[in-house]
Amino acid sequence: MSQLADAFWRAAAYCLHPRVIALSLLPLLLSAALAFGLGYFFWEDAVTGMRGTLESWQLINSLLGWLDSVGASALRSVIAPLLVLALALPVIVVLSLLLVALMMTPTLIKLVAERRFPMLEKKQGGTFWKSLGWSLMHSVLALFALLVSLPFWLIPPLALIVPPLIFGWLSYKVFAFDALAEHASAQECRQLMRAHKVPMMTLGLVTGFLGAAPAAIWAFGVMAVALAPLLVLVSIWLYTLVFAFSTLWFIHYALNALQELRMARGQGGQGGPVIEAEQPPVIQAQEQTP
C-alpha cells in the first residue's frame, strides 16, 4: 500500500505541471463539442421517444396522471428529459475516459518516464492499435454492464455502488494496460498485471468512486434540465480531471513496479536506478523530502 500512496502523491503533484493542465483541455474540448453536437441534432427526438415510451407503460402513465391530479404537471414535463440525461451520463463518462486514454496517456507516460525512469528500456509490448482495440473492447463491455445493471440503479444503495464498480473495473483494464504498453514486453505486462492485480484493482475502484463524484452536480432535480448545457460541460471537465489524475497514478505505480521487476532480475541498465530529472518546483520539493 505504501507504493500506492507514493504513486498517489506523485500523480497529484504532476497534475500541477503546465503540460498536464494544457493536455487536459484537448479531451475536454473534443468531448464537449461531440456532446453538444449530438444534443443539437438528437435531443428533441430522444426526449420525444422517451416520453412516448413512458406513456406506453400503464404503470408509468398512471403515475404521470397522478402527478397531473396533484398539480405537479410541471414535474411530468421534465421526467423524460431527466431520464435522457441520466442515460447519457454513463456514455459521457466512458467517452471522457477513452479520450484521456488516447489523447493524454502517451504524453503523460513520456513525461513520467523522462523524469523518473530515464534508464527504463522500452520493449514495446503493446502498439497504439493494440491499446486502442483493448480500450474499445473493454469500453463496450463496460457499457453493456451498465445497461444490464440499470434495474439495480432503482435501489438507492446499489445505485451508489454498481456504477463506480463498473467504472473502476474499466479504469483498471484501460489505464493499467496503457501504462505498461510502451515500456514492458508482452510477457512483463501479463506478469505485472497478474502479480499486482489487487493493488491495481484497488486503484481502479478508487478511480471509479472518484469518477462518480461529479455526478452529484446533477442533483439539481428539475433545474438540471434548464442547466443541462452548463452541467454537461462542467461534468465533462470534472471527469477529464479525475481520469487525468487516475492515469498518472497508474503510470507512476506501474512503471515503478516494472522498474523493481527488472532490478530483481538483475537487468542492469535496462532497469537501472530511479533517476529524477529536472522537475517542476512542486514535484522537486516533494521528492527531495526524506
Side-chain angles (χ1 to χ4, degrees):
M1 296 304 292
S2 61
Q3 293 179 347
L4 280 179
D6 178 75
F8 177 89
W9 73 257
R10 289 180 186 273
Y14 272 70
C15 284
L16 302 177
H17 194 286
R19 194 188 306 179
V20 176
I21 296 174
L23 280 173
S24 67
L25 298 177
L26 296 177
L28 170 63
L29 294 175
L30 183 58
S31 55
L34 184 59
F36 283 111
L38 291 174
Y40 178 81
F41 288 106
F42 300 106
W43 172 258
E44 293 296 334
D45 292 338
V47 172
T48 301
M50 178 62 70
R51 186 174 290 116
T53 301
L54 293 176
E55 292 176 351
S56 66
W57 294 350
Q58 185 60 39
L59 180 60
I60 300 297
N61 200 31
S62 300
L63 175 61
L64 295 176
W66 176 79
L67 290 176
D68 291 338
S69 66
V70 297
S73 56
L75 181 60
R76 173 191 178 117
S77 64
V78 299
I79 289 180
L82 281 175
L83 289 176
V84 172
L85 289 172
L87 292 176
L89 189 59
V91 179
I92 291 175
V93 176
V94 174
L95 175 64
S96 299
L97 187 149
L98 271 178
L99 289 177
V100 168
L102 296 176
M103 302 180 68
M104 292 187 67
T105 299
T107 304
L108 295 180
I109 292 173
K110 182 179 180 181
L111 177 65
V112 173
E114 287 177 350
R115 295 179 180 278
R116 284 199 66 199
F117 308 99
M119 302 298 294
L120 195 61
E121 181 186 2
K122 298 180 180 179
K123 294 191 176 181
Q124 303 292 341
T127 63
F128 170 79
W129 296 110
K130 187 175 181 179
S131 295
L132 177 61
W134 179 271
S135 299
L136 289 176
M137 179 183 69
H138 287 90
S139 296
V140 171
L141 290 175
L143 287 173
F144 177 76
L146 287 168
L147 182 63
V148 171
S149 66
L150 279 177
F152 296 102
W153 296 22
L154 300 176
I155 306 173
L158 294 181
L160 300 175
I161 296 175
V162 174
L165 288 178
I166 296 174
F167 292 134
W169 172 83
L170 178 61
S171 300
Y172 156 64
K173 286 295 186 180
V174 172
F175 291 144
F177 181 86
D178 287 349
L180 292 168
E182 184 175 358
H183 288 81
S185 65
Q187 179 182 0
E188 288 174 332
C189 185
R190 288 192 298 268
Q191 181 178 352
L192 287 170
M193 291 188 71
R194 183 170 56 250
H196 294 265
K197 183 176 182 178
V198 173
M200 287 186 176
M201 274 295 296
T202 302
L203 203 162
L205 290 177
V206 173
T207 298
F209 282 98
L210 286 176
I217 67 173
W218 293 95
F220 287 98
V222 175
M223 290 186 62
V225 177
L227 298 175
L230 176 62
L231 294 182
V232 167
L233 184 62
V234 173
S235 63
I236 290 175
W237 175 65
L238 291 176
Y239 287 127
T240 301
L241 293 180
V242 167
F243 292 133
F245 164 75
S246 299
T247 190
L248 278 167
W249 196 0
F250 271 100
I251 291 168
H252 279 284
Y253 182 85
L255 291 187
N256 185 65
L258 177 61
Q259 175 85 64
E260 292 182 349
L261 175 65
R262 291 183 181 174
M263 291 181 69
R265 291 175 174 175
Q267 292 185 352
Q270 295 182 359
V274 176
I275 302 176
E276 297 284 357
E278 183 182 356
Q279 299 175 356
V282 61
I283 301 174
Q284 190 174 22
Q286 291 176 336
E287 294 184 351
Q288 288 177 353
T289 302

